[in-house]
Amino acid sequence: MTLDERTLALLVCPLCKGKLLWQAEAQELICRGDRLAYPVRNQIPHLLESAARQVSADELEQLPK
């Protein structure tokens, strides 16, 4: 599954309003600023802080810039 480019361009982090990076393998949208990963289930982004997981510094380093 992939998210549509137009959809990705509209989505922002609900906390900082920063850009989200799509990680297809993990089915997550990553916010670098808040170091949070929001899950995408059944092609629906769950952009709730309570649904997000913390992203480690090591994981952030491995993400494309």
Side-chain angles (χ1 to χ4, degrees):
M1 191 243 0
T2 183
L3 287 178
D4 178 280
E5 290 293 324
R6 287 183 276 168
T7 302
L8 280 174
L10 295 173
L11 295 176
V12 296
C13 174
L15 300 177
C16 71
K17 308 302 184 240
K19 183 179 177 181
L20 294 171
L21 177 65
W22 171 240
Q23 290 297 293
E25 309 84 42
Q27 297 290 293
E28 294 178 323
L29 290 163
I30 310 275
C31 173
R32 287 181 184 274
D34 290 321
R35 294 176 51 183
L36 292 173
Y38 297 97
V40 176
R41 298 183 192 116
N42 298 321
Q43 299 183 9
I44 300 170
H46 293 264
L47 299 177
L48 299 170
E49 186 177 6
S50 61
R53 69 173 181 85
Q54 287 288 324
V55 178
S56 70
D58 290 337
E59 283 181 276
L60 283 178
E61 288 178 12
Q62 295 176 10
L63 295 174
K65 301 214 178 197

